[in-house]
Each structure stands twice: as C-alpha cells, then as structure tokens.
Amino acid sequence: MDIRGTHTPLLDWSGDAIALGLFENETALTGELSQLNEKTGGILAELIEEAEFEGKSGSKAVTRLGSGSPIRKLILVGLGKKDQLSLDTLRLGAAVVARVGKQEKAKSLGISFPAVNEDKEKTTAAIAEGIILSLHQDNRFKSEPEDKPSKLETIDILGFGEQKEAINQAQTLASGVILARELVAAPANSIDPVTFAETAQTLATDYGLEIEILEQEECEKRGMGAFLGVAKASDLPPKFIHLTYKPTVTPKRKLAIVGKSLTFDSGGLNIKGAGSGIETMKMDMGGGAATLGAAKAIAQLKPDVEVHFVCAATENMISGRAMHPGDILTASNGKTIEVNNTDAEGRLTLADALVFAEQLEVDAIVDLATLTGACIVALGNNISGLWSTDETLTEQITTASEAAGEKFWVMPMEEKYFEGLKSPIADMKNTGPRAGGSITAALFLKQFIKETPWAHLDIAGPVWADKESGVNNAGATGFPVRTLVNWVLG
Ligand code: BES
Ligand code: MN
Ligand code: ZN
C-alpha cells in the first residue's frame, strides 16, 4: 500500500473512493463542496440528507456514485466540532476512512481533510498514521485468516503537496507501534525472555544500535537480587537488555527508557487465581515492547539525543526453585525488600533496571510498566497513570502525549503512603494495602532512584483493547510508543 501526498484538488481527483471530512453542523454545501455536489449530480446532498449525516466525530456515510462518474464511491467522515479540531481528530478520521475503504474493497482512495493550524506536515503525518495503524492486522497465528487483507493499493492525501518526509516519518513511527503490538500480542510460548532478547538483538543489527545483554551471571555480579529473585522459577534464562542509540553529533541530552518486560506473569507462588486474567498475562511485557518499538522508530528518525533502552526480561513462574512469599531480596543499590506478595514482581524487576539506568548518568528516566490492576480500577482502560518527581518532565510527557493522542493522568506521589510499605524486618515490603495500590507501587519504584528526574507510567490498562477503537484494532495497541518518540524528539 502506497500513501502519497498530492496537490491535486478534490474536484480533479479520480479513483475508486473519495473521502471527505466534514465538521459537525457544517454540512452546508458551499464552495468546493457545492461544486462537488454538482459534479456528482446532487448525490452528495442526497447522502447528507438520507444518512442524516451531522458530522459528529467518528460518524460516516457511504454511497455509490453514478456509472458515468470518474469516482465510484463517496465516503463522508465526521470530524466533530470545528473549534475542537486536533491532530488526533484527523488521526481517528483517517482510521474511519481506511476501514471503510477496506470494507468497500477500494483499490485507490483519496482523502480530503482540513489542515490543523495550517500545519501541512503534521496534518499529513497524522492522517498517514491513522491509516497505517488502523489497517494493521496480525494474522501471524492464524492458519487461514478470515480477515482478508485490504485491497488498497494507493491512498492519496489531497491538498497538502507531496509531504514525502512527513509520510516517511509517520511510517517509521507506525513501524515502532506495530513492533510493540506484535510483541504484546505474541503469546508467552512465542515471546519469552530469550526470543524477546533476540528481537532486541535483531533491532540493534538492523538499525545500528549498540547492544549489551547481561546474562544471569553478570546480573549476579552486579547484585541485581530483586530482578533475579523474580527470574528464579523460570526454566528460561533472564536477559537484561540495554540498547543505546547515539547520534553522530554531540547529544543535546541523554535519556533512558525502562520497560517492564515480564513475558508472562503467573503471579509466582501467590499464583493468580480464577478470574484474575492470568491467560492475558502475555501482555505483561507491554512496557518492554513499547521500549523496543520506540527504539526502532528513534534509530531511524535519528534525533540529536542519546537514548538508552533498558528491559529486564524474565517470566514470573512457579517451581521448586521459586522465590517464596516472605523472602528477602537485596537490590543492586543495596536496599532490602521483603517480598510479601510474589505477584508484585514488576516493581522488583524495575528496581534493578532503574538503578542501572541511573548509573548511565542520563538527564531523565522514564519507566513504563503494566504495573498494577489498581491503576486500571482508578483510570479505566484508556488512560495511563503518570507519576513524576519532576515538573518539567511531567510537562514534557504531557505535551508529547497530547500530540500523540495517547492519554495520561497525573497521579499523586503521596509520600505518606510509603508507611504502607514499611517492613519490620527489611527496608521495605513490595506491597502495601489494597487502597491506593498504584500509588504505593510508584513509591516503591522511587526508592531506586536517587536524584535523576524520573517519571513512571502505569500502562496496565491501555496496552490492550478489548474492541476496536480509534486507530486501534481489538488486541494489542502499541501504547505508548508515540508518546515516547515525541518526548525524545522534543
Ligand atoms: N502484571 C500485573 C498487573 C496487571 C494486572 C496488568 C491486570 C494488567 C492487567 C502485576 O504484576 C500484578 O500482578 N499486580 C498486582 C499487585 C498486587 C499483588 C499488589 C495487582 O495489580 O493485583
Ligand atoms: Mn504480577
Ligand atoms: Zn506483572
């Protein structure tokens, strides 16, 4: 499928289907639209009337044009209120168009949308992203996919010129999102710590990143007792992955992205029971998957920023060698942890990963993790929690996420709640009371950062979508690759 930008005006375009974006309550046919209406012999006006099309965001209407027409089908897409137009509206609108185009078996599709803030580059990129992400389908595990691939061969984005660079950028960004989606969607007997590390190795080879993979012995030498405690019961070796992107010029800043990488979370000896969603826990490497997805995009976009990507990959299993509930682990910063619940394993792996990241002397660290069910209870499935020790970093991530159309909510780093993690025998326990569970998880992580500006993203909800929504199809979403990349690009 070829996405192209073109100066061709709406009225001169010909092909299988043309999609028009219309604002809410602005469906009066003036200017170009009235000319198009004439050209279609009044079918545009009829469609608006018969479909009672009001331009509401996400709404659509389709009709066939007369047999003499150079265009076979007309698609209307609602863009919502004009004063609320944003890149994300267009991203979602483009997703609607792409899905209709696929359903209508169009080979060539034209899209005519308005620009956001007259920014033709960003507008084109957002439309391209919406198209690619909504059409991505994952049939790797089907012997005979019922979902046939789209017939779309060319999609023309009308009115903004060629925009080759913007379209390339969107394709690169989407390739990172898709890598994250495919890693998350792959089951635990396909993506395990070993194959996850192999994926990182392939990325390094293909895109020229530096890579260092610390094997168990090296992790032992570095005193990563918290990470290794979780890894103990697995028959597969833990892999501590560190990828580095270095620009050719002196970097403007140095950043680290740390992703929770549990390729499966059984809960350990505090095993997840019936109804706990244990069968969905292949997605517990969603943080690591997005970290690798961001690495893939960043390595190609080549910003003047040095970026470290850190994934402590393992699985949380049960066996005679498993860590016991009540065990005391010592992390690589010397702090001791009483493991009062083996199912709070993500924070244990992240503890050593954060200590490692801070030793890299970066300017800021962001970790992302499918950390707590409590965060889903608090914010639902579409919004990620954001905790930070640094206001500037909070602002940077908020801005990056708004441009990406990925939602975050700033949560309190309520120091007083650390009382809930006090242990009579060790420096801390790994879990506190049920109430405020996502906050105590963030406070636990904070014990492993000394002074570097740091943010923690609890992405337990948004990594997975039960049904199609926006640019996401049902399944893995690739959240929050786009926010991470925007943040690094600044
Ligand atoms: N991976 C889970 C969190 C999770 C739950 C992610 C649901 C996605 C969907 C995490 O390791 C976990 O088990 N957390 C426990 C913590 C508890 C033991 C304090 C939880 O949320 O129940
Ligand atoms: Mn768990
Ligand atoms: Zn987990």
Side-chain angles (χ1 to χ4, degrees), residues 27-91:
T27 52
L29 299 179
T30 55
E32 214 180 21
L33 286 184
S34 107
Q35 282 172 279
L36 183 70
N37 188 42
E38 260 170 54
K39 214 180 149 188
T40 61
I43 293 184
L44 173 56
E46 269 174 39
L47 178 61
I48 291 175
E49 176 150 348
E50 279 172 19
E52 293 180 17
F53 186 79
E54 292 173 334
K56 288 221 163 71
S57 176
S59 66
K60 56 177 193 254
V62 194
T63 189
R64 227 173 190 301
L65 294 177
S67 52
S69 164
I71 300 178
R72 280 199 305 124
K73 280 181 180 157
L74 176 63
I75 305 169
L76 302 182
V77 189
L79 298 179
K81 300 219 164 69
K82 191 174 186 173
D83 58 1
Q84 285 169 16
L85 177 66
S86 68
L87 291 174
D88 206 42
T89 321
L90 297 190
R91 211 179 269 117

Side-chain angles (χ1 to χ4, degrees), residues 260 265 267 272 284 316 342-346:
K260 172 175 170 181
D265 177 13
K272 288 181 183 291
D284 215 18
N316 188 20
T342 62
D343 198 9
E345 83 299 336

Side-chain angles (χ1 to χ4, degrees), residues 18 55 84 117 148 167 180 253 270 284-285 309 316 331 382 429 454 489:
I18 182 83
Q84 285 169 16
N117 297 330
K148 296 283 174 267
I167 293 173
R253 28 179 212 156
N270 291 104
D284 215 18
M285 31 62 81
F309 306 92
N316 188 20
N382 295 325
K429 298 188 291 185
W454 159 71
L489 263 50

Side-chain angles (χ1 to χ4, degrees), residues 42-43 67-68 84 97 121 150 153 201-202 244 246 276 309 320 346 349 359 389 399-400 460 471 484:
I43 293 184
S67 52
Q84 285 169 16
V97 171
E121 284 84 25
S150 93
E153 284 166 10
Q201 180 65 62
T202 308
T244 310
K246 281 195 180 139
S276 63
F309 306 92
T349 64
Q359 285 166 355
T389 50
T399 310
V471 299
L484 293 174

Side-chain angles (χ1 to χ4, degrees), residues 125-329:
I127 295 172
E129 269 171 48
I131 295 166
I132 303 168
L133 293 177
S134 60
L135 290 180
H136 165 243
Q137 53 190 86
D138 185 356
N139 289 326
R140 289 172 300 162
F141 302 101
K142 298 248 191 200
S143 60
E144 282 178 58
E146 61 269 28
D147 184 13
K148 296 283 174 267
S150 93
K151 297 214 168 7
L152 287 161
E153 284 166 10
T154 56
I155 300 187
D156 291 332
I157 301 171
L158 306 184
F160 310 129
E162 264 195 281
Q163 298 296 349
K164 277 222 168 103
E165 204 175 303
I167 293 173
N168 269 338
Q169 280 222 11
Q171 275 161 337
T172 302
L173 187 54
S175 78
V177 177
I178 288 170
L179 171 63
R181 284 182 181 178
E182 294 193 341
L183 285 169
V184 170
N189 64 348
S190 166
I191 288 293
D192 60 38
V194 175
T195 53
F196 186 80
E198 282 168 6
T199 307
Q201 180 65 62
T202 308
L203 271 187
T205 313
D206 291 355
Y207 300 101
L209 296 163
E210 289 175 19
I211 186 163
E212 136 182 76
I213 296 180
L214 309 183
E215 304 294 339
Q216 174 157 345
E217 205 182 323
E218 182 61 29
C219 296
E220 277 164 10
K221 276 195 202 138
R222 288 171 183 257
M224 296 181 170
F227 171 48
L228 293 174
V230 176
K232 257 177 98 183
S234 174
D235 283 338
L236 299 168
K239 300 278 178 183
F240 190 100
I241 302 157
H242 172 208
L243 283 162
T244 310
Y245 163 75
K246 281 195 180 139
T248 47
V249 295
T250 312
K252 279 194 303 197
R253 28 179 212 156
K254 294 187 184 181
L255 305 172
I257 298 174
V258 178
K260 172 175 170 181
S261 304
L262 267 293
T263 59
F264 187 70
D265 177 13
S266 73
L269 287 175
N270 291 104
I271 196 162
K272 288 181 183 291
S276 63
I278 189 171
E279 73 285 358
T280 67
M281 282 301 143
K282 65 176 183 182
M283 52 104 143
D284 215 18
M285 31 62 81
T291 301
L292 295 190
K296 181 172 181 178
I298 288 163
Q300 296 174 77
L301 295 169
K302 303 194 187 309
D304 296 345
V305 180
E306 181 173 307
V307 194
H308 297 266
F309 306 92
V310 179
C311 299
T314 186
E315 42 173 19
N316 188 20
M317 300 297 282
I318 51 170
S319 88
R321 280 177 288 117
M323 71 174 165
H324 318 86
D327 278 1
I328 296 174
L329 306 175

Side-chain angles (χ1 to χ4, degrees), residues 326-487:
D327 278 1
I328 296 174
L329 306 175
T330 306
S332 43
N333 66 346
K335 294 208 177 170
T336 60
I337 306 157
E338 180 188 4
V339 180
N340 61 338
N341 192 323
T342 62
D343 198 9
E345 83 299 336
R347 60 196 78 180
L348 297 172
T349 64
L350 287 168
D352 285 324
L354 290 173
V355 171
F356 180 93
E358 189 157 35
Q359 285 166 355
L360 299 169
E361 298 184 339
V362 289
D363 302 314
I365 302 171
V366 171
D367 80 70
L368 51 152
T370 50
L371 203 62
T372 66
C375 195
I376 307 181
V377 173
L379 299 175
N381 280 312
N382 295 325
I383 306 172
S384 162
L386 160 55
W387 286 259
S388 182
T389 50
D390 187 87
E391 266 178 44
T392 314
L393 184 54
T394 303
E395 267 169 42
Q396 287 171 357
I397 292 175
T398 307
T399 310
S401 75
E402 280 164 5
E406 293 176 323
K407 292 189 175 162
F408 290 83
W409 191 259
V410 178
M411 299 283 280
M413 194 74 91
E414 184 65 29
E415 292 292 342
K416 194 163 188 311
Y417 290 2
F418 191 74
E419 281 171 18
L421 291 175
K422 290 230 162 105
S423 161
I425 183 161
D427 294 345
M428 68 195 97
K429 298 188 291 185
N430 72 329
T431 70
R434 224 167 89 84
S438 67
I439 300 174
T440 43
L443 289 169
F444 178 91
L445 296 179
K446 189 165 173 276
Q447 301 308 304
F448 301 90
I449 295 279
K450 277 191 272 184
E451 57 199 3
T452 309
W454 159 71
H456 158 60
L457 314 177
D458 193 332
I459 59 171
V463 290
W464 193 263
D466 286 334
K467 51 180 198 297
E468 170 190 305
S469 153
V471 299
N472 295 321
N473 296 312
T477 59
F479 187 99
V481 170
R482 290 179 290 134
T483 298
L484 293 174
V485 175
N486 285 350
W487 172 60

